Amino acid sequence: MKAILVAGARPNFMKVAPVLKELEARGVKTVLVHTGQHYDAAMSGAFFEDLGLRRPDVNLNVGSGSHAEQTARVMVAFEPVCARERAEWVVVVGDVNSTLACALVARKMGAGVAHVEAGLRSRDMRMPEEVNRICTDAVSDLLFTTEEAGNRNLRAEGVAEERIHFVGNTMVDTLLEHVEEARRKKLPMGLREKGYAVVTLHRPSNVDDEERLKGLLGALDAVAERMPVVFPAHPRTRAKLEEFGLARNGGKWFVVEPMGYLSFLGLVAHSRMVLTDSGGIQEETTMLQVPCLTLRENTERPVTCELGTNILVGTRPERLKSEALQVLDGGERESELPRYWAGRAAERIAEILGNANPIFC
Ligand code: UD1
């Protein structure tokens, strides 16, 4: 059997790494395709090193662009790869533009399509990722879900049971494999364990609007009055901070370059609190039992709020400030871990893939 595995952007690499390893261990021929959606060393190369992920067999080098440009470029570049490799399966992960682009191409080229992290829904169609999730799931034979909500969403959409496989979370597999090494890394900038907060912001809805970004940073200033705030800034965010004259530096603010996987995981693991608009970080903080405030109105990962440490605080500055100060004044709380978030998701995926026939081919 032969499988093409696709990764394109920063949050894909840790999801694909354990699946690649498991398939290879079972003697499956694998082709690792990097679409090049993310290309900076800090957004891509550093992750390959930290995760021990082998160099991609193919790099489509698509780079940045509008949604249409980027998605189209991936499709055009991926089609000949599919034609040449003639793999039985194409495995896509997550919800980025590369995920959808390759799923569409693979479907039409007659390969089986497997989607890792299927079924998540924010019900916010203004999010490009929500469009990517729905469309990728629609054309995938196998839907590997990470949490019960994913199963419920797919069933509610009328998806046949034989396509849905609740396997757990491959990002958690990667986290568990690397967390001890990450915890042992020395904290930067003289930070002390549990003595600082971590901020990440990159969603266009939060960072592209000057008033919104200004309000969020104003609220975060209240946290920076209490403890150091480390802000590894996505390239998009850094550009917007400069464009709007909102750059924070000095005092207790530390705006730094995007970090590699291990450094960031260690930073989060030892932090007092995380404030983010990322999807994956809601899951990582749940695993690490670190309080997480999510600066969004919705989440496609509800289990992180139901069981984990995640609180959806929206984007109103007053609410954000009061919730953040409440966390800082409150005690630590233990939370239960979601079902199957225990490090064997990739094993289940490889097992199922090895025995399945594509449903739509
Ligand atoms: C993408 C994903 C998002 C994910 C995020 C993680 C989509 C629709 N969005 O958003 O779901 O949460 O990745 O980071 O797929 N840039 C660089 N260097 C890079 C990559 C990007 O400077 O290596 C800059 C470029 O100016 C680019 C911008 O960042 O235009 C946005 O990159 P893009 O891949 O389009 O989207 P992200 O915002 O990173």
Side-chain angles (χ1 to χ4, degrees), residues 112-165:
V113 185
H115 184 204
V116 174
E117 197 188 88
L120 297 181
R121 300 287 183 267
S122 67
R123 307 216 155 68
D124 179 356
M125 287 295 262
R126 291 165 305 178
M127 270 180 96
E129 293 83 356
E130 182 73 352
V131 178
N132 293 344
R133 290 179 203 118
I134 291 172
C135 298
T136 302
D137 286 346
V139 299
S140 296
D141 301 86
L142 298 181
L143 299 166
F144 293 118
T145 57
T146 52
E147 61 169 283
E148 296 280 9
N151 305 329
R152 286 196 297 272
N153 292 335
L154 292 170
R155 285 182 191 128
E157 290 170 17
V159 172
E161 282 300 320
E162 60 175 335
R163 292 171 60 206
I164 306 172
H165 298 273

Side-chain angles (χ1 to χ4, degrees), residues 9-312:
R10 182 168 61 174
N12 290 166
F13 306 126
M14 59 286 237
K15 293 172 193 169
V16 97
V19 182
L20 181 71
K21 205 162 127 188
E22 271 299 325
L23 289 175
E24 282 180 337
R26 286 159 197 252
V28 175
K29 286 192 215 97
T30 57
V31 181
L32 178 60
V33 173
H34 189 330
T35 65
Q37 176 171 346
H38 285 174
Y39 42 85
D40 285 348
M43 305 288 284
S44 171
F47 284 75
F48 279 75
E49 266 167 48
D50 281 0
L51 299 172
L53 195 52
R54 71 170 151 85
R55 283 170 64 86
D57 302 294
V58 181
N59 194 325
L60 306 179
N61 287 314
V62 299
S64 303
S66 70
H67 285 273
E69 284 166 344
Q70 192 172 60
T71 309
R73 281 209 292 264
V74 175
M75 290 181 73
V76 171
F78 187 56
E79 192 174 47
V81 177
C82 262
R84 185 177 70 228
E85 298 295 342
R86 304 170 69 86
E88 284 93 337
W89 288 102
V90 172
V91 180
V92 296
V93 302
D95 56 14
V96 302
N97 287 343
S98 302
T99 311
L100 172 62
C102 292
L104 281 175
V105 169
R107 170 86 286 128
K108 291 188 173 179
M109 295 293 287
V113 185
H115 184 204
V116 174
E117 197 188 88
L120 297 181
R121 300 287 183 267
S122 67
R123 307 216 155 68
D124 179 356
M125 287 295 262
R126 291 165 305 178
M127 270 180 96
E129 293 83 356
E130 182 73 352
V131 178
N132 293 344
R133 290 179 203 118
I134 291 172
C135 298
T136 302
D137 286 346
V139 299
S140 296
D141 301 86
L142 298 181
L143 299 166
F144 293 118
T145 57
T146 52
E147 61 169 283
E148 296 280 9
N151 305 329
R152 286 196 297 272
N153 292 335
L154 292 170
R155 285 182 191 128
E157 290 170 17
V159 172
E161 282 300 320
E162 60 175 335
R163 292 171 60 206
I164 306 172
H165 298 273
F166 183 22
V167 293
N169 194 325
T170 63
M171 213 171 84
V172 169
D173 293 7
T174 296
L175 182 147
L176 292 174
E177 188 185 336
H178 294 281
V179 69
E180 286 318 315
E181 188 186 354
R183 280 186 199 279
R184 284 196 300 271
K185 275 188 159 286
K186 190 172 171 332
L187 286 171
M189 298 161 302
L191 297 168
R192 285 182 300 105
E193 280 184 27
K194 301 293 162 194
Y196 61 92
V198 176
V199 169
T200 81
L201 288 173
H202 76 284
R203 294 220 170 265
S205 56
N206 278 340
V207 304
D208 286 2
D209 182 274
E210 184 172 352
E211 280 313 302
R212 166 76 63 88
L213 186 57
K214 192 172 171 184
L216 294 176
L217 291 171
L220 295 171
D221 281 335
V223 178
E225 279 167 22
R226 299 270 293 265
M227 57 173 56
V229 172
V230 187
F231 184 3
H234 184 286
R236 170 199 289 280
T237 311
R238 184 173 286 276
K240 291 292 171 187
L241 289 172
E242 277 159 28
E243 182 186 332
F244 301 146
L246 293 173
R248 294 294 199 274
N249 261 317
K252 291 198 171 119
W253 275 98
F254 294 91
V255 181
V256 297
E257 291 299 311
M259 297 169 84
Y261 181 73
L262 292 174
S263 303
F264 186 71
L265 190 61
L267 184 78
V268 169
H270 290 307
S271 69
R272 176 69 184 85
M273 168 171 65
V274 173
L275 305 104
T276 187
D277 60 7
S278 152
I281 295 172
Q282 298 170 48
E283 298 183 341
E284 288 170 336
T285 46
T286 286
M287 287 305 293
L288 297 167
Q289 309 261 308
V290 170
C292 176
L293 300 189
T294 296
L295 282 57
R296 288 174 46 190
E297 304 297 341
N298 50 57
T299 179
E300 61 288 339
R301 295 163 158 89
V303 76
T304 61
C305 297
E306 291 153 13
L307 293 183
T309 55
N310 188 22
I311 306 172
L312 209 52

Side-chain angles (χ1 to χ4, degrees), residues 335-355:
S335 76
E336 213 180 301
L337 296 181
R339 187 166 166 221
Y340 289 158
W341 287 23
R344 293 183 50 205
E347 212 178 294
R348 294 190 186 99
I349 289 170
E351 183 70 28
I352 294 164
L353 264 181
N355 293 314

